[in-house]
């Protein structure tokens, strides 16, 4: 029987017949399972982490903190870098001195199965000194608001202006000027398949193979290679079938680096599959923005000038740089042609999920 192929999506018959292969389907001989301990606080100082009891739990192979990772615990660079991003901040694989959002990884456990790994997480003792948090977007810009990063006094990551024509000259001449404020709340993509990664180290070839449910295989490869101090040619990232991405799988994540590091250290394949609760707190969110718009029109309704200011919540880190804010600016006029446009964008750090 011949399978009928559509002109667009050639993979559909295979997926609809249940022949897809996702990260969760990968089983390798000797594979270990990883679980991640996450901060319950939006902002806290890490005073100490004791993994002794977890290491003694049945089936546990490793329990690691930032101190164990050493030089591998380096910031993950933004996937898009722009000169307007004057204070880039990338997440560490494991929080080191402070945690900056609920869900930030603070430790990882490797065990013979996921059940034992999850049980061992409960045996880890973390001592936190809870700090004030910058949770509101506009409040984060106030002079008396807590600082997400101590060396960024205003919580501003950066921004830029795009402009054509002369808005200041055109607006006073408009027959009518409309002023509006729009607040767009956070959203969060919920693919049927959460994130997942499998890593296998080959000690003979000194190479790493990683299967990841990602939209950016090359960026994941580069982040892992950088953290593990390997040439990029010794890291191969394979993307199997992906059960939804929506942009949230468009950046490297701490768990990919952790799985790779643990696979190399243990000499055994390592797998981590995100659960739905983790997905809510540890996978990037989108679109918390505040827009202020002035639109000047003539009597016929023709748009003469548009002034726009947008403040974008980046969360605690900036995995996409200022890409989201820039994307907003490019699309802001919509289908309308205006000879005079000015758009000012500012990215702000808050103690929320990136």
């Amino acid at each position: 029987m011949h399978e009928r192929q559509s002109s667009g999506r050639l993979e559909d018959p295979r997926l609809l017949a249940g022949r897809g292969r996702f990260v969760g389907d990968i089983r390798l001989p000797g594979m270990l399972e990883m679980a991640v301990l996450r901060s319950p606080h939006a902002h806290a100082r890490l005073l100490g982490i004791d993994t002794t009891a977890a290491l003694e739990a049945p089936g546990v192979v490793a329990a690691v903190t930032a101190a164990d990772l050493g030089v591998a615990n380096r910031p993950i660079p933004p996937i898009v870098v722009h000169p307007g991003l004057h204070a880039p901040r990338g997440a560490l694989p494991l929080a080191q001195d402070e945690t900056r959002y609920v869900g930030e990884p603070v430790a990882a456990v490797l065990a013979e199965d996921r059940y034992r790994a999850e049980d061992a997480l409960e045996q880890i003792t973390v001592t936190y000194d809870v700090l004030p948090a910058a949770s509101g977007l506009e409040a984060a810009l106030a002079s008396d608001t807590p600082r997400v990063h101590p060396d960024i006094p205003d919580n501003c990551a950066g921004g830029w202006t795009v402009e054509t024509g002369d808005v200041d000259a055109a607006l006073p001449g408009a027959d009518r000027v409309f002023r509006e404020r729009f607040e767009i709340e956070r959203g969060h993509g919920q693919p049927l398949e959460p994130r997942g990664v499998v890593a296998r180290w080959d000690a003979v070839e000194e190479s790493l193979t990683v299967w990841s449910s990602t939209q950016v295989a090359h960026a994941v490869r580069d982040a892992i290679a950088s953290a593990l101090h390997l040439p990029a040619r010794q890291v191969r990232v394979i993307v199997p079938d992906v059960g939804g991405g929506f942009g949230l799988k468009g950046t490297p994540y701490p768990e990919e680096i952790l799985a790779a590091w643990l696979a190399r250290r243990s000499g055994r394949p390592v797998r981590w599959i995100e659960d739905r609760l983790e997905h809510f707190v540890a996978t990037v969110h989108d679109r918390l923005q505040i827009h202020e718009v002035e639109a000047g029109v003539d009597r016929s309704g023709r748009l003469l000038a548009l002034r726009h200011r947008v403040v974008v919540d980046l969360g605690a880190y900036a995995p996409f740089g200022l890409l989201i804010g820039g994307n907003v600016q490019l699309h802001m006029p919509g289908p309308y042609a205006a000879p005079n446009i000015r758009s000012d964008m500012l990215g702000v750090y808050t103690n929320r999920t990136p």
Side-chain angles (χ1 to χ4, degrees):
M1 181 177 180
H2 295 289
E3 292 182 342
R4 184 177 180 179
Q5 302 284 3
S6 68
S7 59
R9 293 174 50 90
L10 302 181
E11 69 271 30
D12 284 352
R14 177 176 58 84
L15 294 174
L16 292 171
R19 299 200 302 271
R21 187 168 183 263
F22 302 87
V23 171
D25 297 319
I26 296 174
R27 301 285 195 278
L28 300 177
M31 188 167 68
L32 300 169
E33 297 280 348
M34 182 179 80
V36 179
L37 183 67
R38 303 181 183 278
S39 171
H41 305 293
H43 197 194
R45 188 176 293 112
L46 282 171
L47 301 182
I49 306 177
D50 186 352
T51 61
T52 304
L55 285 167
E56 296 173 351
V60 171
V61 175
V64 298
T65 67
D68 298 303
L69 295 184
V71 294
N73 202 47
R74 58 195 303 172
I76 302 171
I79 196 164
V80 178
V81 179
H82 186 280
L85 183 65
H86 63 70
R89 286 297 180 276
L92 298 170
L94 290 174
Q96 192 155 316
D97 300 313
E98 293 184 6
T99 63
R100 294 184 169 88
Y101 66 92
V102 173
E104 184 166 11
V106 297
V109 167
L110 198 59
E112 296 293 341
D113 58 53
R114 181 63 178 259
Y115 301 99
R116 290 174 176 174
E118 292 283 354
D119 288 344
L121 291 182
E122 299 179 3
Q123 304 301 314
I124 298 176
T125 301
V126 183
T127 304
Y128 295 99
D129 176 20
V130 180
L131 301 172
S135 57
L137 178 50
E138 287 183 303
L141 295 171
S143 59
D144 58 347
T145 297
R147 299 306 171 215
V148 179
H149 302 278
D151 60 333
I152 306 177
D154 54 6
N155 288 331
C156 292
W160 61 72
T161 297
V162 294
E163 186 172 19
T164 184
D166 190 338
V167 170
D168 292 335
L171 272 176
D175 294 315
R176 187 167 180 182
V177 177
F178 297 90
R179 294 178 177 85
E180 295 288 348
R181 174 187 170 94
F182 304 93
E183 298 185 21
I184 301 175
E185 261 302 340
R186 279 193 173 220
H188 193 210
Q190 293 291 323
L192 289 178
E193 180 205 27
R195 292 185 292 121
V197 58
V198 171
R200 181 181 64 193
W201 173 252
D202 187 317
V204 176
E205 296 185 355
E206 293 191 332
S207 64
L208 190 71
T209 302
V210 175
W211 293 262
S212 181
S213 182
T214 182
Q215 295 170 259
V216 285
H218 293 88
V220 171
R221 177 202 63 187
D222 293 345
I224 292 173
S226 175
L228 273 60
H229 294 271
L230 292 170
R233 67 178 181 275
Q234 289 176 228
V235 180
R236 182 188 183 201
V237 174
I238 300 171
V239 180
D241 291 321
V242 175
F246 315 129
L248 56 85
K249 295 180 182 177
T251 181
Y253 280 92
E255 294 85 1
E256 288 158 326
I257 294 171
L258 288 171
W261 189 89
L262 285 166
R264 187 183 187 186
R265 173 178 168 172
S266 68
R268 295 171 62 178
V270 171
R271 184 176 70 163
W272 171 77
I273 302 296
E274 183 181 55
D275 64 36
R276 190 58 63 180
L277 177 59
E278 287 180 299
H279 185 77
F280 271 110
V281 298
T283 297
V284 295
H285 298 174
D286 61 26
R287 302 297 193 276
L288 200 162
Q289 303 163 3
I290 297 174
H291 298 256
E292 294 176 350
V293 181
E294 289 181 273
V297 301
D298 64 15
R299 286 185 175 84
S300 68
R302 185 168 60 97
L303 187 61
L304 301 177
L306 196 60
R307 178 185 285 137
H308 170 248
R309 179 177 182 267
V310 58
V311 182
V312 181
D313 181 10
L314 301 179
Y317 303 100
F320 294 98
L322 295 172
L323 174 66
I324 301 302
N327 194 35
V328 168
Q329 288 179 300
L330 291 174
H331 291 87
M332 185 268 303
Y336 300 101
N340 305 286
I341 300 176
R342 177 186 173 99
S343 176
D344 300 294
M345 184 270 295
L346 179 65
V348 180
Y349 290 117
T350 63
N351 288 118
R352 298 186 181 188
T353 304

